[in-house]
Amino acid sequence: MSPLAETAALFADRTRAAFCLALLDGRAWTAGELARHAGVRPSTASEQLSRLVESGLFAEERQGRHRYVRLAGPDAAALIEALASYGSATPRPGSLRASGRLSAEARARTCYDHLAGRLGVTLADATIARGLVSTDGGLAVTPAGRAWLADALGFERPPGTRRPLVRSCLDWTERRPHLAGTLGAALCETALERRWVRRVGSGRAVKVTPEGAEAFRELLGAEVTPPARE
């Protein structure tokens, strides 16, 4: 079997696909949590997780009796998000609760370590409009963008890092790109730390706070309206 076919086969199982999408929140999950999330037996979850770890897509850590798994890195997250965007349609929710979750994730969510959904796309557009990111000849952070990262976010790129400063990530709900790479990660980390956004429940959805709406307007000229209620 070719490497492409082997990789494609990893996502051809509903349980493995559910695990991949869950871990796009950037956090480590226990095998038991993923089993409950996907609605499968612990033994089934363990078997499928072992395959994903062996493939290099997932990484695992063990603490006592608990087995934690997470995505192996940004490249794995980008692959999953890109594949999800090629779906023919947004999944139809099977319950009112699922409908609410999908709606919240479409508004704003994390995609591994950066912001996605309508919020992520809006912020990406704003960085380009402000001249912080250029699309001429490929996506790149401008000198003004580097200064903005340092001044507005207090970010200094670690020396020797091989991760690109900015990368386009196709948003699976908006079907337009949001920002990944070091810039996207720094913006997401700062937004969470400064409470510009906060997590909603235990999933990937985040909610823009009034302070966040003001910060995004002042720093990027982005108009983001926080939800009136949960």
Side-chain angles (χ1 to χ4, degrees), residues 89-105 172:
T90 302
R92 180 175 297 178
S95 65
L96 184 60
R97 180 178 181 182
S99 177
R101 177 179 57 79
L102 287 173
S103 178
E105 289 183 353
W172 72 272

Side-chain angles (χ1 to χ4, degrees), residues 10-178:
L10 291 173
F11 302 99
D13 177 85
R14 290 182 181 275
T15 298
R16 292 195 296 271
F19 292 169
C20 289
L21 291 174
L23 291 182
L24 276 177
D25 68 358
R27 294 177 287 187
W29 290 48
T30 67
E33 288 170 337
L34 286 170
R36 290 190 292 273
H37 173 78
V40 297
R41 297 189 302 272
S43 58
T44 299
S46 180
E47 177 183 349
Q48 301 297 355
L49 286 173
S50 293
R51 181 170 178 180
L52 289 163
V53 170
E54 290 170 2
S55 74
L57 194 64
F58 285 10
E60 71 173 342
E61 299 175 5
R62 292 186 180 273
Q63 294 185 9
R65 296 183 298 106
H66 295 291
R67 178 191 193 189
Y68 289 88
V69 292
R70 55 178 173 77
L71 294 182
D75 289 343
L79 174 61
I80 294 167
E81 185 80 2
L83 286 173
S85 71
Y86 278 96
S88 58
T90 302
R92 180 175 297 178
S95 65
L96 184 60
R97 180 178 181 182
S99 177
R101 177 179 57 79
L102 287 173
S103 178
E105 289 183 353
R107 284 195 301 271
R109 67 181 183 277
T110 54
C111 175
Y112 188 57
D113 62 356
H114 51 274
L115 295 169
R118 288 194 292 275
L119 173 63
V121 170
T122 296
L123 296 181
D125 289 344
T127 61
I128 295 171
R130 286 249 165 154
L132 307 179
V133 173
S134 171
T135 57
D136 298 335
L139 212 61
V141 177
T142 65
R146 292 174 184 268
W148 181 84
L149 276 168
D151 297 340
L153 304 186
F155 173 79
E156 292 185 7
R157 192 180 189 190
T161 181
R162 299 176 62 183
R163 188 176 187 185
L165 194 53
V166 67
R167 181 180 61 76
S168 177
C169 184
L170 184 60
D171 195 284
W172 72 272
T173 53
E174 295 298 295
R175 305 302 171 101
R176 294 183 57 215
H178 55 249

Side-chain angles (χ1 to χ4, degrees), residues 171-206:
D171 195 284
W172 72 272
T173 53
E174 295 298 295
R175 305 302 171 101
R176 294 183 57 215
H178 55 249
L179 299 181
T182 303
L183 186 152
L187 182 56
C188 180
E189 181 179 7
T190 301
L192 287 166
E193 287 181 350
R194 299 184 185 178
R195 304 290 290 178
W196 296 346
V197 300
R198 60 183 179 84
R199 295 191 182 275
V200 179
S202 60
R204 297 171 59 194
V206 297

